[in-house]
Structures are given as structure tokens and as C-alpha cells.
């Protein structure tokens, strides 16, 4: 099952669910488990998040901020690209749901019922070609083939990543300092992550772990301070130059609409930026696509980005590429993953497993209600 497809010369459609399902198809050491996939409810994002159709007595009323001003140049560009390819985006002829309630409730229940000690420091590895299921603190976790994982704060980076280690692809999804996460943390600490300052991120010694063609990929918010930090601080310190800015556009699964409306500057947008750098003098710098638009239905788990490995390893880095993902919460074959919650989204509660019992295959929707 292909996890991405080309919509136009400039745009790709990513399928987060298929990318994960491909990892766990016929790979389990336990032959009774035929395959696994993220619970489908996690991608039941059927309507824009800013569409409030629940009119219950306890529904929270939010003040609407009218957007009468013009888009900035970037938002206008993303808006126009979405308009040009929306007819190619997948839609449901008869949507089974008119809200996102089931997906959001599933995630809320997972966050409150699951256990994960982010302060524990450990390193693990699965060097086999099989997926294994392991236990820790009363929880079960899926460990895919050919992975290394480190659970630790980023200030311990040099203790776990040897100075001689070089990577073909380095991906960062930094825990940017922002007001939304502070609000989430105040309401439910288990649902949020620990934020870092720009100085903390800049201090990571990635300059030691690249070669002449290493791609450095940074997921970035639309905050001007974060954009400036990547372009003016992080990349120069790491010895790479900006060669591309791509955009992740989050859409609904029912109609391909953006998950919120395009807004004027300083307001929430349905897209995020992906900055891509290459070492200065890299022979790839002149040929790497400077701009692309990546569309996908987002996972209901906050800030869980679609994997980029399938797309990048098929087009931009060699087969068998060595990858490093920082601030990771999940694992992917061929990758060294580092983060304070590096196994959190490998929790078996989040997956549906196809089990073979008595010669028959049936789907075990494991913990669909996280019980």
C-alpha cells in the first residue's frame, strides 16, 4: 500500500495510516500477529476544528475573531495551491460522521489512562527484521524492525550519540515554546510535552553528525520567532544552508477541506512549515526542490506529524539511508529515534492488530476504548 502519491508537480498526498501499516505488515516475530495499524479512529477528522456543531448545554462558547485583513504572501501561496488541487484530494461520498468527537475522545482517554515515565533514561534496539512487543511499567509497546531508540532529555545527547556517527537524514520536530501547550499542561500534564527554548535547540551539536549530503529537516510553526531561529540561528550553527521550505497542509478526511480556515497573519493556520537544509557546498543543493506542498489528514494525537521517510527515501536520499529523528515519540525502521517520550506512541493501546487464531484471520481492535 503506497503511503504517498503525487498530486501535481508541486504537491504530494501523504497517508499517515498507510505508512505505519506498511511497517507492521507480516513483520511480527509472533506469527499469530499478522499485521497492525494505528486505530482508524485516530484519523476520523471529518470536519474543520473551528466548526462547532455541538450545541449541548455544557458546550464551550468561544468568541469568534473575524478575519477581515488580507493573507500574507505565504498563506496566499498555500491557499492557492490548495484551491488548485482540492478536486484531487480524497473525499467520502457519504461521511459516516459529522464531527471529530470520537477521535478526540479516544485520544483524551489514552492520555489519561496510559502510563509513561518521560524522566526515565534508557536506550534500546531491535536489530532484527521482525516487530516485537515488549512490556514496560505495565504497558505494551510495538518495536518495529531495525530501530535504535533513546529515551532522554536532549541535554544528554552527546552521551548517547557517538561523535563519529553520521546520518543521511536528520529530522527534528522541536517542542517549541508556545502558549497553547502551556494551557494544555495546566489542564492535563500527561497530554502535553516539555517545551524548549530556541537556545536549547540551537545547542544540539548536529554539525558533528552530518556529511556533505545530509538532509536536515525541521518542522516549524508559523511563529516569526521560530522561523527566524531556524533560518538565522540553527542552520548556520549546524553548518547547513536553507535550500527549501515545504508546507504541510492539514485536511479533513471527508472533504479535503483545511482543518481550519486560512487566516490573516498572527492567527492559527491549517499549515506548518518544513525547513530543509543541506551542508554548504553540497552537490544536491542546486537540484533539491525548493517548494512542495504536502497534504494529509492529521492524526488526532496532538502534533503527531506524518512520517516523511517513505517520501524522502524514495526520492531524495539513498535506499537504506541512516536516519536520526530528534524529539521523537514513535519509531520507524532504519531510524535512530531520540526523545523524552520516544516509545509513547508505540503503545499497543493505539493499534489494531490482525490476529490469526485457529487458521482464521480476525481483527482485534485492541483497546478501542483504551480500557
Amino acid at each position: 500500500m503506497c503511503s504517498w502519491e503525487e498530486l501535481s508537480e508541486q504537491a504530494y498526498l501523504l497517508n499517515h495510516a498507510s505508512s505505519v501499516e506498511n511497517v507492521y505488515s507480516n513483520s511480527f516475530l509472533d506469527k499469530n500477529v499478522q499485521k497492525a495499524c494505528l486505530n482508524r479512529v485516530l484519523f476520523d477528522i471529518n470536519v474543520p476544528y473551528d466548526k462547532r456543531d455541538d450545541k449541548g448545554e455544557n458546550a464551550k462558547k468561544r468568541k469568534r475573531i473575524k478575519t477581515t485583513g488580507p493573507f500574507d504572501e505565504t498563506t496566499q501561496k498555500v491557499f492557492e495551491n490548495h484551491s488548485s488541487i482540492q478536486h484531487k484530494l480524497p473525499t467520502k461520498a457519504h461521511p459516516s460522521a459529522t464531527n471529530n468527537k470520537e477521535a478526540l475522545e479516544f485520544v483524551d482517554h489514552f492520555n489519561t489512562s496510559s502510563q509513561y515515565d518521560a524522566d526515565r533514561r534508557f536506550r534500546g534496539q531491535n536489530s532484527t527484521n521482525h516487530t516485537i512487543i515488549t512490556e514496560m511499567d505495565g504497558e505494551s509497546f510495538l518495536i518495529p524492525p531495525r530501530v535504535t531508540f533513546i529515551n532522554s532529555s536532549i541535554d544528554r545527547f552527546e552521551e548517547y550519540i557517538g561523535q563519529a556517527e553520521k546520518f543521511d537524514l536528520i529530522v527534528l520536530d522541536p517542542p517549541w515554546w508556545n502558549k497553547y501547550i502551556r494551557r494544555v499542561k495546566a489542564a492535563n500534564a500527561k497530554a502535553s510535552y516539555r517545551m524548549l527554548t530556541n537556545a536549547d535547540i540551537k545547542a544540539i551539536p548536529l554539525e558533528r553528525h552530518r556529511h556533505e549530503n545530509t538532509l536536515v529537516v525541521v518542522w516549524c510553526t508559523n511563529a516569526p520567532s521560530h522561523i527566524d531561529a531556524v533560518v538565522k540561528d540553527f542552520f548556520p550553527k549546524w553548518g547547513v544552508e536553507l535550500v527549501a521550505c515545504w508546507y504541510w497542509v492539514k485536511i479533513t478526511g471527508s472533504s479535503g477541506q483545511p482543518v481550519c480556515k486560512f487566516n490573516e497573519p498572527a492567527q492559527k493556520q491549517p499549515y506548518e512549515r518544513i525547513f530543509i537544509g543541506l551542508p554548504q557546498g553540497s552537490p544536491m543543493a542546486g537540484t533539491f526542490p525548493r517548494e512542495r506542498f504536502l497534504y494529509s489528514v492529521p492524526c488526532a494525537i496532538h502534533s503527531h506529524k506524518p512520517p516523511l521517510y517513505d517520501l524522502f527515501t524514495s526520492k531524495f536520499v539513498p535506499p537504506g539511508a541512516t536516519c536520526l529523528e530528534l524529539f521523537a515519540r514513535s519509531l520507524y525502521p532504519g531510524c535512530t529515534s531520540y526523545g523524552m517520550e520516544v516509545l509513547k506512541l508505540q503503545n499497543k493501546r493505539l493499534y489494531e492488530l490482525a490476529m490469526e487464531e485457529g487458521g482464521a484471520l480476525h481483527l482485534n481492535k485492541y483497546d478501542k476504548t483504551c480500557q
Side-chain angles (χ1 to χ4, degrees):
M1 186 182 300
C2 188
S3 62
W4 63 273
E5 64 177 281
E6 198 165 334
L7 298 173
S8 71
E9 187 178 343
Q10 295 288 316
Y12 300 108
L13 177 66
L14 306 183
N15 190 322
H16 188 157
S18 293
S19 183
V20 173
E21 186 172 354
N22 289 342
V23 171
Y24 301 108
S25 180
N26 297 313
S27 70
F28 282 84
L29 185 63
D30 180 354
K31 296 306 179 183
N32 288 323
V33 185
Q34 296 298 301
K35 61 181 180 179
C37 61
L38 282 169
N39 196 304
R40 303 293 179 178
V41 73
L42 289 168
F43 298 96
D44 277 349
I45 307 302
N46 300 294
V47 297
Y49 285 122
D50 48 7
K51 179 181 177 182
R52 303 279 169 175
D53 56 357
D54 52 334
K55 300 188 169 119
E57 188 176 324
N58 298 320
K60 294 181 180 179
K61 295 183 179 179
R62 301 173 111 191
K63 290 184 179 179
R64 300 277 185 176
I65 300 175
K66 293 184 179 180
T67 58
T68 56
F71 296 157
D72 61 25
E73 182 180 354
T74 297
T75 301
Q76 183 66 33
K77 179 165 49 180
V78 180
F79 171 80
E80 289 176 358
N81 186 269
H82 175 264
S83 298
S84 71
I85 58 89
Q86 185 171 10
H87 66 285
K88 297 182 179 180
L89 296 173
T91 59
K92 297 178 182 177
H94 302 287
S96 57
T98 57
N99 56 48
N100 306 327
K101 184 178 179 181
E102 189 176 2
L104 299 178
E105 286 183 346
F106 181 92
V107 172
D108 285 344
H109 199 88
F110 171 75
N111 285 331
T112 56
S113 65
S114 63
Q115 302 294 322
Y116 196 91
D117 183 1
D119 292 318
R120 175 182 288 186
R121 293 172 57 202
F122 60 84
R123 179 188 179 104
Q125 186 177 30
N126 178 10
S127 58
T128 75
N129 290 319
H130 301 287
T131 295
I132 60 176
I133 300 177
T134 190
E135 307 288 327
M136 184 176 69
D137 296 336
E139 300 281 356
S140 299
F141 298 92
L142 277 63
I143 310 298
R146 306 181 307 284
V147 296
T148 297
F149 50 93
I150 297 106
N151 202 91
S152 178
S153 56
I154 201 65
D155 60 326
R156 303 273 190 170
F157 179 83
E158 293 178 82
E159 296 179 29
Y160 290 101
I161 306 297
Q163 290 192 23
E165 290 189 69
K166 307 290 184 185
F167 299 92
D168 301 310
L169 174 65
I170 301 176
V171 180
L172 300 89
D173 183 12
W176 299 105
W177 190 270
N178 69 78
K179 293 179 181 178
Y180 171 78
I181 293 301
R182 280 181 288 182
R183 290 197 302 269
V184 171
K185 195 172 185 67
N188 179 9
K190 291 176 69 176
S192 65
Y193 51 75
R194 301 182 190 185
M195 297 173 288
L196 292 179
T197 66
N198 291 349
D200 294 328
I201 301 166
K202 179 181 176 181
I204 305 168
L206 292 186
E207 61 274 11
R208 300 175 184 170
H209 302 286
R210 57 169 180 78
H211 53 67
E212 66 171 3
N213 283 324
T214 298
L215 279 176
V216 179
V217 179
V218 182
W219 291 92
C220 189
T221 72
N222 293 306
S225 61
H226 297 159
I227 294 169
D228 286 346
V230 175
V231 176
K232 298 178 181 178
D233 294 332
F234 301 173
F235 278 9
K237 192 261 183 180
W238 297 334
V240 299
E241 59 181 338
L242 179 69
V243 297
C245 180
W246 292 11
Y247 304 95
W248 175 39
V249 189
K250 295 168 270 189
I251 57 174
T252 65
S254 59
S255 61
Q257 299 178 73
V259 296
C260 69
K261 58 189 173 183
F262 290 94
N263 278 309
E264 60 188 23
Q267 295 191 38
K268 187 175 180 62
Q269 302 288 1
Y271 66 88
E272 296 183 32
R273 301 171 200 235
I274 305 170
F275 289 112
I276 301 171
L278 279 166
Q280 296 171 357
S282 168
M284 291 176 58
T287 60
F288 197 89
R290 297 194 62 82
E291 191 171 78
R292 290 291 183 268
F293 301 86
L294 310 181
Y295 292 86
S296 75
V297 178
C299 180
I301 297 169
H302 178 71
S303 196
H304 189 23
K305 307 298 194 300
L308 298 177
Y309 302 107
D310 290 346
L311 176 62
F312 274 69
T313 55
S314 63
K315 297 182 73 70
F316 307 114
V317 293
T322 56
C323 303
L324 171 67
E325 182 177 359
L326 299 183
F327 311 109
R329 293 182 294 161
S330 58
L331 309 179
Y332 207 79
C335 189
T336 296
S337 299
Y338 191 119
M340 291 190 70
E341 298 178 321
V342 74
L343 295 183
K344 184 171 183 177
L345 303 188
Q346 298 298 129
N347 194 309
K348 191 177 175 185
R349 296 171 183 254
L350 296 173
Y351 291 79
E352 297 176 353
L353 274 62
M355 312 290 293
E356 185 172 8
E357 295 181 4
L361 190 67
H362 70 93
L363 187 65
N364 174 22
K365 293 191 175 181
Y366 190 91
D367 277 337
K368 185 167 176 89
T369 57
C370 289
Q371 294 175 346

